[in-house]
Amino acid sequence: GNVVSKTGRYRLFPIAGTLVMGVGLYLMSLMGPATGAGLESLYMFVLGTGIGLSMQVLTIAVQNTVEYSDLGTATSGVTFFRTLGSSFGTAVFGTIYANSLGPNLRDGVAAAARTGAADPSVIARASTSPEGVHRLPPPASAPVIGAYADTIQTVFLWTVPVAVLGFVVALFLKQVQLRDSARAGSTDMGEGFASPHDASSRRTLEASVGKIIGTTELDTARRIIADSDTRLDVAGAWAVMQVDLFTRLVGHASLGLIAARRRLPPEVLLPVFDRMVEEGFLTRHGSLLSHTDAGAREALVIGRAWAAWLEDRVERDIGRPTDTELRAAVDAIAKRLLVEDLSNGLPQRIRQGATADRPQPSPRSPDARTGVG
């Protein structure tokens, strides 16, 4: 996952994975009663490496080549067909195992009976369970154990052509430029083995938005504000949008809360907020800040310009989301960052001050008398 994220290339991994998987399955078919635990572990490591190289990367390949609107369907489709293949494979190879075990076990029981180490009827009954086989004398148990080993070898041999077929199919996999959102999710190996869920599209959208916002430079923000119809300069627009953000996510905005979130002394931000109050874009009620009608209009204009720019960038990455989905993704990211800062990053006195900034009910209000909030 880390290699895919850094290089953006994933085509090689399914090809190498299916090849290594085929080698691992063939090695597993060589196991017998005399195979040691160390050698068995080596064979299983080879097989596991092949599976690991293929499973998650194939999910990334599918998610990287479909539109955002089809992302949930595509991811669920991958999981559905993977589950269907597992069920089909279990049925097919279970049938091969059952059909091979019967003749092999009859031959093994007959060979054990010829040793004279135990009664043939006892051997026949004991051969149906591991406990019974272990209770047999070694000369009688060896042919029975060999029968089971031969059957398992047959099953693993039949799986090798399936891996070869997967290798041939993987050769036709096309390399498509990896989206930023796919890069962000490529290190999450659990996704390739998880059940389908409704949140896959939302998580991908949030990953895309987070990547775009995280790499946006200050000049881009200046250009967005300059291209919008706002009457505010960059500093004023920032102040108005900070009040909009905190009011939407927290329920109230104050200079102390905004300054603490930005790790700045309130005195640094005080001039721009005072100017917005004087120019009629913000109003101050005690320590709380809120929009005037003019400020609300400016916040709406700036928000639309920012959303249009972000929507265009997201569309290039994963496809076009709806306005509601885009706003929900931005709010979710902002809320997580805000909650993290408020719970971990801010000094205790600031957190207490932020709590004190909340409007308190009047002693004469019904809320104060009844305690109902």
Side-chain angles (χ1 to χ4, degrees):
N2 289 324
V3 175
V4 173
S5 177
K6 292 178 181 178
T7 64
R9 306 188 67 84
Y10 56 83
R11 180 176 179 268
L12 177 64
F13 292 95
I15 296 175
T18 50
L19 181 61
V20 174
M21 191 189 309
V23 173
L25 290 170
Y26 175 74
L27 292 175
M28 295 288 283
S29 72
L30 300 179
M31 292 192 305
T35 304
L39 198 56
E40 290 178 358
S41 299
L42 176 62
Y43 293 168
M44 287 188 285
F45 175 78
V46 174
L47 178 59
T49 300
I51 295 174
L53 287 171
S54 305
M55 293 286 283
Q56 170 66 7
V57 177
L58 291 175
T59 303
I60 294 173
V62 172
Q63 292 177 337
N64 190 57
T65 53
V66 298
E67 293 294 331
Y68 169 76
S69 57
D70 299 325
L71 187 60
T73 303
T75 304
S76 298
V78 170
T79 308
F80 170 74
F81 284 109
R82 184 174 291 165
T83 304
L84 186 65
S86 299
S87 302
F88 184 74
T90 301
V92 170
F93 293 113
T95 301
I96 294 174
Y97 176 83
N99 290 339
S100 300
L101 180 61
N104 290 341
L105 198 55
R106 284 194 295 270
D107 294 341
V109 170
R114 287 195 294 269
T115 63
D119 185 83
S121 60
V122 173
I123 297 175
R125 288 193 301 271
S127 65
T128 59
S129 67
E131 295 81 3
V133 173
H134 287 302
R135 285 196 296 267
L136 292 174
S141 63
V144 177
I145 294 174
Y148 280 103
D150 291 343
T151 303
I152 294 175
Q153 288 175 351
T154 301
V155 173
F156 277 117
L157 276 176
W158 275 103
T159 61
V160 174
V162 178
V164 173
L165 178 61
F167 172 75
V168 174
V169 173
L171 292 175
F172 293 93
L173 183 65
K174 295 182 179 180
Q175 174 65 48
V176 180
Q177 183 178 1
L178 198 63
R179 298 167 176 167
D180 288 339
S181 55
R183 286 177 183 265
S186 61
T187 56
D188 182 11
M189 298 307 295
E191 182 70 21
F193 302 90
S195 300
H197 49 80
D198 296 335
S200 59
S201 297
R202 174 179 55 80
R203 290 174 56 191
T204 301
L205 177 57
E206 290 180 12
S208 177
V209 171
K211 179 74 174 181
I212 293 170
I213 294 176
T215 56
T216 299
E217 299 178 352
L218 180 59
D219 288 341
T220 302
R222 295 180 186 274
R223 187 169 59 253
I224 294 172
I225 294 173
D227 293 341
S228 68
D229 295 329
T230 182
R231 295 174 290 171
L232 301 176
D233 57 10
V234 174
W238 180 86
V240 168
M241 294 308 294
Q242 287 297 303
V243 173
D244 177 76
L245 174 67
F246 276 83
T247 302
R248 192 169 68 248
L249 298 184
V250 181
H252 67 285
S254 69
L255 180 60
L257 194 59
I258 296 172
R261 168 68 177 86
R262 297 296 173 179
R263 304 290 198 278
L264 293 171
E267 293 79 9
V268 174
L269 302 178
L270 183 60
V272 66
F273 283 96
D274 282 346
R275 179 163 62 87
M276 290 297 99
V277 172
E278 292 172 1
E279 294 179 4
F281 296 105
L282 296 178
T283 182
R284 183 181 284 115
H285 302 281
S287 61
L288 298 179
L289 295 167
S290 60
H291 288 143
T292 62
D293 291 341
R297 285 194 298 270
E298 295 303 316
L300 182 62
V301 169
I302 298 170
R304 285 175 176 172
W306 169 256
W309 175 85
L310 184 60
E311 186 176 294
D312 178 68
R313 292 292 304 275
V314 171
E315 185 176 4
R316 298 180 195 175
D317 184 24
I318 62 173
R320 188 179 184 86
T322 65
D323 293 341
T324 303
E325 291 171 333
L326 187 61
R327 169 56 68 91
V330 173
D331 283 355
I333 295 171
K335 186 174 293 186
R336 281 199 295 269
L337 293 175
L338 190 60
V339 168
E340 180 180 346
D341 283 346
L342 291 178
S343 60
N344 299 324
L346 303 186
Q348 182 66 27
R349 60 181 181 84
I350 295 295
R351 273 181 268 168
Q352 293 173 348
T355 304
D357 285 340
R358 292 181 180 271
Q360 300 297 324
S362 168
R364 297 183 179 181
S365 68
D367 288 349
R369 292 196 307 269
T370 63
V372 177

